[in-house]
Amino acid sequence: MEHQTLTSFPNDFLWGSASAAYQVEGAWQEDGKGESVWDRFVRIPGKTFKGTNGDLAVDHYHRFQEDIALMKEQGLKAYRFSIAWTRIFPTGRGEVNQAGLAFYQELVDELIKNDIEPMVTLYHWDLPQALQDEYNGWESRQIIEDFTKYAETLFEAFRGKVHYWISLNEQNVFTSLGYLLAVHPPGVTDPKRMYAVNHIANLANASVINKFHELKMPGKIGPSFAYTPNYPINSDPKNILAAENAEDLMANYWMDVYMWGKYPIAAMKFLEEQGWAPTIEAGDEELLESAKPDFLGINYYQTATNAFNPLDGVGAGKMNTTGKKGSSEETGVPGMYKKVENPFVERTNWDWEIDPEGLRIALRRITSRYRTPILITENGLGEYDKLTDDKKIHDEYRINYLANHVKAIKEAISDGATVLGYCTWSYTDLLSWLNGYQKRYGFVYVDQDETQEGSLERYKKDSYYWYQSVIKENGESI
Ligand code: BGP
């Protein structure tokens, strides 16, 4: 649909930007912090790009005031960050580590003082190692209680100060990469275990959302889903069906549970046939259906184009974590779909397809299927950036990427979607889990690289000023 004029962004639209504790904080052993599964995993040789880890990251733990001053100057309305569970409960539960909590109290107060809305992610993948050792983390139902207790501690600590909460960040990613592809902790390749873990994570998510509502917390809570909308490669019905399969197994399999408390039928049949379906115990369905997120968070980076894949077809292939264009391998789920190249879109150096229209499609599909407000919790471009001799970063490629995506949001709003806000990934440059520091996303360049010996100085990129003017005019001239 082409609109003659586009609807303006609402006046209270949350122009934001995001980060995650492990990727920015550093200070991995300070003030009583416990060890997380990522602290452990990065030490296994060959797991991360050039052996990078978040021990120091971009030292946000000590430089948060400087980072917030930059946000203030830019006019940022919201900052999404995650809390490291291991700072609050070093071994996952028990006594609160007051020094760890104090860090986030200072951070939140500093944001509020600067008129920036704090958005807290409860879980962005850094599970306490102690819980992994004690009961295999997400593989045990004990985590439902422990995660809920941890969340409740934070709800009470930040009641009235934090009004936007994200329960789980990209459950689809941490379960698949952790238990299917073995590229995230705990490094397992077992679909049966992956779907079991995922079901428990769904229960934990529902339990935390219910707790938030039971406590009558002022504000809103929802999960953040990494949504990659699926297309067919062409109108061959076999390929259309492949795209439907992918949408069911890779998207509805999470979003339907969040929004309706129900697994999609065809995907579940497929899992049953493979012997991979999770065990659903008495009371599980009731719990899932009772939890009602106030919004659906989506992290949007790209779309996927699909073709028919027979039962003896391609399975999981290697991801591109080197930044060498074209180095990712074919991937698919035999009997369901395989991913193929979309000839109509460009790709980044990490082979991520650049598709702003896909964001509009994502927002429309979610709006029609679930009729829910949406918070865009991540969107951005990971690229090589160059610091010039006069300390500038001319990232017009990032400005183009972001401007096209902001336009797509405006179009989706004009189509009738309710979008609460837009968080770019990321605010400062930060450690990419598997890609080191060469894949950059920030508005603010940080002098840090794979040697991990950078000066940590911050420099504003051209995109910093671009976003500043977008915020100032509330996206009017987009
Ligand atoms: C999302 C994660 C972020 C971030 C981003 C970019 O999946 O929620 O934490 O890492 O992707 O991904 P990458 O660093 O792999 O380029």
Side-chain angles (χ1 to χ4, degrees), residues 146-160:
D146 291 343
F147 183 52
T148 308
K149 185 86 203 88
Y150 156 69
E152 188 180 350
T153 307
L154 297 177
F155 294 157
E156 291 301 4
F158 295 106
R159 177 185 283 276

Side-chain angles (χ1 to χ4, degrees), residues 162-181:
V162 173
H163 295 95
Y164 292 87
W165 297 84
I166 289 95
S167 44
L168 294 177
N169 179 68
E170 298 191 349
Q171 184 187 329
N172 55 327
V173 172
F174 81 75
T175 54
S176 313
L177 272 54
Y179 292 85
L180 212 50
L181 304 175

Side-chain angles (χ1 to χ4, degrees), residues 23 124 169-170 301 352 378 425 432-433 435 439 441:
Q23 298 177 274
H124 204 125
N169 179 68
E170 298 191 349
Y301 289 92
W352 290 27
E378 286 180 31
W425 185 264
S432 169
W433 305 93
N435 310 281
K439 188 182 188 188
Y441 282 93

Side-chain angles (χ1 to χ4, degrees), residues 94-299:
E95 286 292 294
V96 172
N97 171 38
Q98 292 301 335
L101 184 59
F103 167 69
Y104 295 108
Q105 272 159 340
E106 280 177 50
L107 180 73
V108 164
D109 288 345
E110 188 74 12
L111 288 166
I112 293 173
K113 199 170 92 193
N114 286 284
D115 302 314
I116 301 164
E117 187 78 50
M119 290 181 177
V120 170
T121 308
L122 293 169
Y123 184 76
H124 204 125
W125 308 350
D126 43 359
L127 183 77
Q129 180 66 42
L131 300 185
Q132 188 67 34
D133 294 341
E134 189 185 332
Y135 55 68
N136 283 336
W138 291 103
E139 290 191 73
S140 163
R141 285 180 176 239
Q142 177 59 43
I143 199 152
I144 303 168
E145 189 185 320
D146 291 343
F147 183 52
T148 308
K149 185 86 203 88
Y150 156 69
E152 188 180 350
T153 307
L154 297 177
F155 294 157
E156 291 301 4
F158 295 106
R159 177 185 283 276
K161 288 190 172 183
V162 173
H163 295 95
Y164 292 87
W165 297 84
I166 289 95
S167 44
L168 294 177
N169 179 68
E170 298 191 349
Q171 184 187 329
N172 55 327
V173 172
F174 81 75
T175 54
S176 313
L177 272 54
Y179 292 85
L180 212 50
L181 304 175
V183 294
H184 278 194
V188 171
T189 36
D190 184 339
K192 173 96 190 138
R193 279 167 76 185
M194 181 232 146
Y195 286 105
V197 156
N198 185 64
H199 181 63
I200 294 174
N202 278 329
L203 298 170
N205 182 66
S207 160
V208 159
I209 290 175
N210 280 347
K211 178 60 73 184
F212 184 85
H213 291 136
E214 259 165 57
L215 293 172
K216 305 222 175 318
M217 288 288 298
K220 299 179 195 301
I221 190 166
S224 271
F225 179 68
Y227 184 31
T228 299
N230 288 284
Y231 302 152
I233 182 69
N234 57 30
S235 55
D236 180 339
K238 271 162 100 175
N239 296 330
I240 307 249
L241 191 60
E244 297 273 324
N245 288 338
E247 193 70 7
D248 226 35
L249 188 66
M250 304 305 281
N252 301 341
Y253 192 78
W254 282 271
M255 293 195 291
D256 284 4
V257 178
Y258 294 144
M259 304 313 296
W260 296 335
K262 288 186 198 318
Y263 287 103
I265 292 165
M268 192 50 100
K269 279 276 167 218
F270 173 75
L271 297 184
E272 281 163 6
E273 275 178 32
Q274 307 298 315
W276 299 341
T279 307
I280 313 233
E281 291 182 7
D284 288 1
E285 283 174 358
E286 289 71 14
L287 174 56
L288 296 179
E289 282 176 29
S290 65
K292 300 282 174 221
D294 300 303
F295 60 82
L296 181 59
I298 61 161
N299 294 353

